[in-house]
């Protein structure tokens, strides 16, 4: 059974057709890259998958581990194992990273009928994961993303991913705004977390990320549709030629 | 009941009250009571037509028979009765007033009287305490303000504190105002006076409580005189029943180098009007007024502040935040006067609100009157709903809507609550807010952050 199965998905935002029939299947153990020009609908797809409000699903189905995703609220999807690393992480003044993660973990545990995590166990987990993404532990006491630099915010997303150990992680341009060292750290984090039982969907504009995270599939999303799928070489090709040819073919 | 009827009842009550006074009848204090009573005759009950009461309706005064039971003293309460009103680890100095009358039995005062005077207004009046006679009603505007006049005319008890120079009172003084309404509606008129000698420091926590199901109306006036280099931490904690009514005026006068910090925390009450008026009499003084209100149901709170920068080189900072749920309503009115010679004034004011429903409402209004040119003044007011992006971010990590809301509201609140200087009180208020949010884990989470910090610092 596929982990994620999207069939003919279309969605509107404010009456505008943004997704126009997406088909995508992701199996456990796979890494998929989604590329495509600005405004093609990549973040929209990610938001629809995570259950953000404000999207009007006009057709199609999404199944996650055999369950209809549209029956689940955003928080239920997260507890079932879907995670989105935001393109633009949100600042939450007054809520510490540690508090945030502890609440998230306990909400998930409650959902699974488990007791709250032991305080010491939690501290250890946090220390371990902070090391994995090489995030300074003093960030954990700071308010979520408040005053973080662009790169720090992205690393914090990967830290949260490491803490929550999702089954399906969607990274929306997590590489944008990262310096080369941070990029390696993030990629390294993803590779360490990647297992036979989980999967990653990596949205990116740059082939350079894919030097470190080797995708099994590369998809090109254009104008609300996946117009081309290939292996990692497709990313190299796009890097060289740009999207002109793809746009022309799609517009025929 | 109309205005005339109320005044007739007050006249009868006043005669009764006067007949019970013995030796105090001819004192200077009683002369002022008489003046205040005469003022009432000519003052109208405030209506919405007057600017200061534009959003604040006191018609409830006509609906209940408060006035008939003025000062009905029922002091048969036990320590057990007041136990729920105590604050954990904060019990060295406790002054309890029941229906406006001091209860010696329920109170305990740690400081010996000859060094520091902490006693009831009534005792101070009985022994003709010279400083009480000298300061009573120096600040309170009993000639023009209806409720201040009412309080002054009927003033018979309250807190009297006279701290000599150079004393730091670490243990906060908890003043509990209890209305026992089991025999009917109660009105009380507590009158408090604080005189703080040079370089002295004092922490006060006031709380208000109703026992019984009838309505209670507390009409309070507090006068605070701060000498050179004094420091006053003043905390008003309002978490009373849904049929409690409160109007309180606090009037502060600050000498050179004095610091007045106030925190007004309002969690519930049918009607609450806090008038917080401070005036700088000498230079280099500072006032910080913090406020947090979190109202539900049909509750109402109105914070009216006035800071009078009468002299140069003083700082004032106002920071009020509020959360309004259900059909709760709130008013914030921050008036700042910077007089022509008050150069080098810094005056900042902020009021931030979150409305949780369409029926909740806030009226916020800065009133800056600036007559000097070399000053720094700013004000800002925001009103909004919960941040949708933040809500989704939290939910996308598996946090339920209810919990996400609680986290955001808790953090919104803590920005003010963290400013409470008394640790025991701060913890108590944090707990009250966490309870309100029905998230028992929240408080612990904060503690966890501290544990982590401790581990961090050790390494
Ligand atoms: N709330 C909205 N109202 C109207 N249009 C919207 C809204 N949100 C997204 N869109 C439009 O949907 C289209 C797809 O946006 P989306 O953010 O999914 O693109 P993207 O592929 O992630 O682009 P980028 O590479 O720049 O991140 C864009 O044209 C965008 O303007
Ligand atoms: Mg995008």
């Amino acid at each position: 059974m596929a982990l994620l199965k999207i069939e003919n998905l279309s969605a509107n935002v404010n009456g505008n057709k943004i997704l126009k029939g997406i088909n995508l299947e992701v199996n456990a153990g796979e890494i998929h890259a989604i590329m495509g020009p600005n405004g093609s609908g990549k973040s929209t797809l990610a938001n629809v998958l995570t259950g953000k409000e404000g999207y009007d699903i006009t057709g199609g189905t999404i199944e996650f581990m055999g369950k209809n995703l549209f029956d689940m609220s955003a928080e239920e999807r997260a507890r079932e194992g879907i995670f989105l690393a935001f393109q633009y992480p949100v600042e939450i003044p007054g809520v510490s990273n540690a508090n945030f993660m502890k609440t998230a973990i306990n909400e998930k545990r409650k959902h699974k009928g488990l007791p709250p995590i032991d305080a010491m166990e939690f501290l250890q987990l946090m220390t371990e994961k902070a090391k994995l993404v090489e995030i300074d532990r003093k960030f954990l006491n700071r308010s979520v993303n408040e005053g973080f630099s662009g790169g720090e915010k992205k690393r914090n997303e990967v830290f949260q991913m490491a803490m929550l150990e999702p089954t399906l992680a969607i990274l929306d341009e997590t590489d944008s705004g990262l310096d080369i060292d941070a990029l390696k750290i993030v990629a390294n984090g993803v590779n360490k977390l990647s297992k036979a039982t989980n999967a990653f969907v990596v949205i990116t504009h740059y082939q350079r990320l894919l030097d470190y995270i080797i995708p099994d599939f590369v998809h090109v999303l254009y104008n609300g549709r996946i117009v081309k799928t290939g292996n990692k070489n497709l990313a190299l090709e796009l890097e060289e030629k740009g999207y002109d040819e793809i746009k022309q073919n799609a517009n025929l | 009941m109309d205005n005339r009827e109320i005044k007739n009842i007050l006249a009868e009550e006043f005669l009764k009250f006067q007949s019970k006074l013995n030796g105090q009848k001819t004192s200077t204090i009683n002369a002022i009571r008489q003046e205040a009573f005469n003022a009432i005759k000519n003052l109208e009950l405030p209506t919405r037509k007057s600017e200061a009461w534009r959003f604040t309706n006191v018609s409830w005064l006509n609906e209940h028979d408060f006035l008939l039971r003025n000062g009905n003293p029922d002091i048969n309460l036990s320590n057990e009765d007041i136990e729920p009103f105590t604050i954990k680890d904060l019990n060295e100095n406790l002054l309890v007033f029941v229906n406006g009358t001091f209860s010696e039995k329920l109170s305990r005062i740690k400081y010996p009287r000859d060094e520091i005077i902490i006693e009831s207004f009534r005792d101070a009046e009985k022994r003709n305490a010279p400083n009480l006679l000298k300061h009573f009603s120096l600040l309170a505007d009993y000639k023009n303000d209806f409720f201040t006049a009412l309080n002054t005319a009927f003033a018979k008890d309250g807190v009297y504190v006279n701290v000599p120079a150079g004393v730091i009172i670490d243990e906060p003084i908890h003043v509990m105002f209890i209305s026992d309404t089991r025999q009917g509606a109660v009105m009380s008129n507590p009158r408090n006076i604080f005189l703080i000698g040079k370089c002295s420091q004092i922490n006060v926590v006031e709380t208000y409580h109703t026992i019984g199901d009838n309505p209670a109306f507390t009409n309070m006036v507090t006068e605070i005189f701060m000498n050179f280099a004094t420091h006053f931490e003043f905390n008003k904690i309002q978490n009373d029943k849904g049929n409690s009514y409160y109007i309180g005026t606090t009037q502060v006068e600050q000498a050179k180098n004095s610091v007045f910090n106030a925190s007004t925390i309002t969690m519930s009450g049918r009607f609450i009007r806090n008038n917080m008026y401070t005036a700088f009499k000498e230079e280099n003084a500072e006032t910080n007024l913090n406020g947090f209100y979190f109202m539900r149901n049909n509750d109402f709170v109105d914070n009216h502040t006035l800071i009078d920068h009468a002299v140069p080189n003083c700082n004032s900072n106002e920071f009020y935040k509020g959360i309004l749920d259900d059909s709760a309503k709130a008013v914030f009115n921050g008036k700042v006067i910077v007089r022509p010679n008050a150069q080098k004034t810094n005056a900042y004011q902020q009021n931030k609100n979150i409305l949780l429903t369409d029926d909740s409402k806030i009226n916020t209004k800065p009133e800056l009157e600036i007559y000097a040119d070399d000053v720094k003044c700013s004000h800002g007011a925001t009103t909004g709903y919960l941040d949708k992006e933040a809500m989704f971010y939290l939910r996308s990590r598996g946090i339920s809507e209810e919990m996400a809301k609680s986290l955001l509201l808790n953090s919104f609140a803590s920005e003010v609550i963290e400013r409470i200087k008394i640790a025991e009180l701060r913890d108590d208020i944090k707990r009250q807010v966490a309870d309100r949010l029905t998230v028992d884990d929240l408080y612990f989470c904060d503690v966890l952050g501290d544990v982590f910090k401790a581990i961090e610092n050790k390494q």
Side-chain angles (χ1 to χ4, degrees):
Chain A
M1 181 181 60
L3 203 58
L4 179 74
K5 194 170 179 184
I6 304 175
E7 279 185 340
N8 206 19
L9 175 71
S10 35
N12 290 2
V13 182
N14 292 337
N16 303 314
K17 285 185 184 161
I18 309 292
L19 302 183
K20 303 170 183 171
I22 302 252
N23 292 295
L24 180 67
E25 208 174 299
V26 178
N27 293 298
E30 292 177 350
I31 296 179
H32 291 242
I34 296 181
M35 304 182 81
N38 294 130
S40 56
K42 303 180 298 296
S43 294
T44 304
L45 175 62
N47 288 339
V48 167
L49 282 170
T50 42
K52 190 170 182 177
E53 278 144 34
Y55 297 89
D56 194 9
I57 311 297
T58 50
T61 57
I62 308 179
E63 271 183 15
F64 178 65
M65 299 200 293
K67 289 184 197 161
N68 179 0
L69 209 58
F70 297 137
D71 289 342
M72 295 184 229
S73 64
E75 52 267 40
E76 280 167 341
R77 295 177 197 198
R79 292 170 198 159
E80 288 291 319
I82 293 182
F83 179 92
L84 170 65
F86 282 55
Q87 182 173 3
Y88 304 108
V90 181
E91 298 193 8
I92 307 185
V95 178
S96 76
N97 252 331
N99 201 352
F100 174 37
M101 279 299 101
K102 183 168 175 279
T103 310
I105 284 176
N106 280 339
E107 290 272 280
K108 186 169 175 176
R109 290 176 68 100
K110 195 159 77 186
H111 179 69
K112 302 240 183 272
L114 296 169
I117 188 167
D118 170 78
M120 271 305 148
E121 196 185 323
F122 174 70
L123 290 175
Q124 263 162 10
L125 182 71
M126 223 166 33
T127 312
E128 180 194 317
K129 302 297 184 179
K131 246 184 227 146
L132 181 79
V133 295
E134 297 181 36
I135 199 170
D136 194 311
R137 284 207 310 178
K138 67 172 181 280
F139 283 101
L140 307 177
N141 261 318
R142 281 174 54 181
S143 293
V144 178
N145 296 327
E146 192 186 30
F148 285 29
S149 75
E152 286 164 354
K153 282 181 185 169
K154 295 302 179 75
R155 261 205 268 177
N156 195 25
E157 295 292 291
V158 180
F159 166 71
Q160 292 170 35
M161 181 176 78
M163 289 294 289
L164 298 171
E165 297 191 326
T167 316
L168 175 70
I170 304 150
L171 283 74
D172 191 357
E173 295 197 28
T174 305
D175 56 331
S176 302
L178 291 184
D179 63 41
I180 191 70
D181 292 336
L183 184 79
K184 282 184 198 166
I185 291 165
V186 165
N188 192 32
V190 170
N191 289 329
K192 277 188 187 152
L193 293 168
S194 174
K195 289 188 286 200
T197 49
N198 61 18
F200 291 82
V201 174
V202 182
I203 297 170
T204 182
H205 284 295
Y206 305 105
Q207 130 73 20
R208 97 188 156 154
L209 175 70
L210 305 178
D211 284 342
Y212 302 101
I213 302 175
I214 314 287
D216 301 294
F217 301 94
V218 175
H219 311 276
V220 180
L221 186 64
Y222 174 63
N223 198 12
R225 283 190 195 95
I226 290 179
V227 292
K228 195 163 185 181
T229 293
N231 62 14
K232 64 179 182 192
N233 293 326
L234 176 57
L236 286 167
E237 209 177 292
L238 290 170
E239 179 91 347
E240 213 172 287
K241 298 191 199 153
Y243 290 112
D244 279 354
E245 195 181 313
I246 282 174
K247 284 184 186 173
Q248 272 164 17
N249 288 340
N251 290 336
L252 281 179
Chain B
M1 250 190 292
D2 62 15
N3 247 322
R4 252 210 7 216
E5 277 176 88
I6 287 181
K7 285 186 184 176
N8 285 339
I9 293 164
L10 284 175
E12 277 171 40
E13 290 278 327
F14 191 68
L15 281 178
K16 263 193 256 166
F17 173 58
Q18 285 290 315
S19 70
K20 283 186 205 147
L21 294 172
N22 300 318
Q24 298 95 36
K25 239 181 198 160
T26 53
S27 73
T28 50
I29 288 183
N30 207 45
I32 295 172
R33 285 193 190 106
Q34 299 277 0
E35 275 183 56
F37 177 69
N38 289 332
I40 291 177
K41 288 191 209 154
N42 302 317
L43 287 171
E44 294 296 316
L45 253 168
T47 64
R48 288 181 173 210
K49 280 183 208 136
S50 77
E51 187 55 31
W53 295 86
R54 200 148 74 94
F55 301 109
T56 305
N57 184 352
V58 292
S59 61
W60 46 266
L61 199 56
N62 309 333
E63 289 158 19
H64 303 294
D65 56 349
F66 293 120
L67 302 169
L68 301 171
R69 289 174 203 275
N70 175 41
N72 173 21
D74 177 33
I75 325 190
N76 289 324
L77 295 178
S78 68
N79 280 316
E80 267 162 43
D81 292 322
I82 67 162
E83 175 61 29
F85 309 145
T86 55
I87 298 165
K88 195 167 165 260
D89 299 326
L90 211 153
N91 43 27
E92 299 275 16
N93 289 308
L94 176 66
L95 300 183
V96 181
F97 292 83
V98 182
N99 295 351
T101 303
F102 180 63
S103 165
E104 191 151 9
K105 188 181 83 182
L106 299 172
S107 303
R108 49 181 174 267
I109 299 163
K110 193 183 164 188
Y111 290 91
R113 201 178 120 156
D114 48 349
E115 191 197 337
I116 298 160
I117 297 167
I118 303 176
E119 65 183 343
S120 73
F121 180 102
R122 197 155 122 128
D123 288 346
E125 188 186 1
K126 263 189 205 151
R127 66 178 180 84
N128 281 314
N131 265 330
L132 176 74
L133 302 183
K134 207 169 119 193
H135 290 88
F136 178 72
S137 276
L138 271 189
L139 303 179
D141 186 11
Y142 62 86
K143 287 184 179 144
N144 297 300
D145 181 274
F146 180 87
F147 290 103
T148 300
L150 179 63
N151 174 284
T152 305
F154 291 95
K156 68 172 170 49
D157 213 345
V159 183
Y160 178 64
V161 170
N162 190 355
V163 184
V167 180
I168 292 177
I169 304 180
D170 293 320
E171 286 83 5
I173 300 168
H174 181 182
V175 188
M176 225 183 243
F177 294 98
I178 298 172
S179 300
D180 184 344
T181 68
R182 284 175 296 187
Q183 290 164 33
V186 168
M187 174 171 85
S188 55
N189 289 289
R191 181 62 171 244
N192 310 315
I193 295 190
F194 294 88
L195 306 165
I196 315 300
K198 285 178 186 166
C199 302
S200 289
Q201 194 172 325
I202 187 171
N203 304 317
V204 174
V205 181
E206 288 183 2
T207 60
Y208 314 87
H209 316 276
T210 301
I211 294 173
D213 295 326
N214 288 302
F217 172 33
T218 305
N219 178 42
M220 192 153 102
V221 173
T222 302
E223 293 172 283
I224 298 174
F225 297 85
M226 295 181 68
N227 269 297
F228 171 78
T230 49
H231 193 124
F232 201 123
E233 293 290 331
F234 186 51
N235 301 275
K236 292 165 79 81
I237 313 302
Q238 304 172 314
N239 193 359
D240 204 353
K241 284 193 172 170
N243 56 353
S244 62
Y245 299 79
Y246 173 88
I247 294 177
T249 299
T250 305
Q251 206 104 39
V252 187
E253 184 184 85
Q254 290 185 251
K256 201 174 167 88
N257 290 4
S258 62
V259 178
F260 179 69
N261 291 334
S263 293
T264 305
I265 310 291
T266 311
M267 299 291 288
S268 69
R270 176 67 190 86
F271 178 100
I272 291 163
R273 165 78 172 231
N274 295 310
N275 296 321
M276 184 70 80
Y277 302 152
T278 72
F280 295 116
K281 205 178 65 176
E282 291 171 4
E283 297 188 28
N284 291 318
E286 180 183 323
T287 291
N288 299 297
L289 305 183
N290 298 312
F292 173 66
Y293 39 94
F294 188 173
M295 308 299 272
R296 290 181 299 188
N297 307 322
N298 215 10
D299 287 355
F300 173 82
V301 61
D302 175 354
N303 282 299
H304 258 68
T305 65
L306 166 63
I307 298 176
D308 187 353
H309 282 268
V311 296
N313 289 312
C314 291
N315 294 334
S316 68
N317 204 328
E318 291 180 76
F319 189 50
Y320 278 76
K321 290 180 94 173
I323 302 169
L324 299 169
D325 204 350
D326 302 326
S327 325
K329 291 184 178 53
V331 175
F332 174 78
N333 191 102
K335 185 165 179 172
V336 177
I337 304 175
V338 181
R339 303 207 182 253
N341 65 328
Q343 302 297 359
K344 307 282 178 201
T345 285
N346 288 319
Y348 303 110
Q349 182 186 97
Q350 253 194 91
N351 175 229
K352 295 183 180 175
N353 299 283
I354 292 182
L355 303 179
L356 294 178
T357 63
D358 290 337
D359 288 341
S360 56
K361 203 173 165 185
I362 169 81
N363 282 299
T364 175
K365 185 175 159 212
E367 253 189 285
L368 273 57
E369 290 181 17
I370 301 171
Y371 303 106
D373 46 25
D374 186 13
V375 301
K376 284 194 192 127
C377 295
S378 74
H379 66 87
T382 58
T383 299
Y385 295 91
L386 272 175
D387 180 351
K388 278 199 180 115
E389 294 295 323
M391 280 294 288
F392 176 65
Y393 191 68
L394 293 169
R395 291 176 60 206
S396 80
R397 300 306 184 235
I399 297 171
S400 69
E401 204 171 340
E402 197 56 38
M403 180 69 98
K405 191 170 136 184
S406 292
L407 276 173
L408 294 180
L409 294 180
N410 192 58
S411 74
F412 180 81
S414 47
E415 207 188 347
V416 189
I417 293 168
E418 290 297 339
R419 296 186 184 203
I420 297 174
K421 299 275 183 356
I422 303 167
E424 296 86 353
L425 179 67
R426 194 169 59 234
D427 286 351
D428 189 78
I429 302 300
K430 279 187 188 175
R431 226 179 277 269
Q432 285 185 35
V433 172
D435 284 351
R436 170 70 54 90
L437 296 167
T438 61
V439 177
D440 40 60
D441 211 28
L442 268 183
Y443 181 73
F444 177 62
C445 282
D446 274 354
V447 174
L448 188 85
D450 292 342
V451 170
F452 200 79
K453 217 178 272 172
I455 292 177
E456 186 91 358
N457 290 339
K458 258 192 211 157
Q459 289 172 351

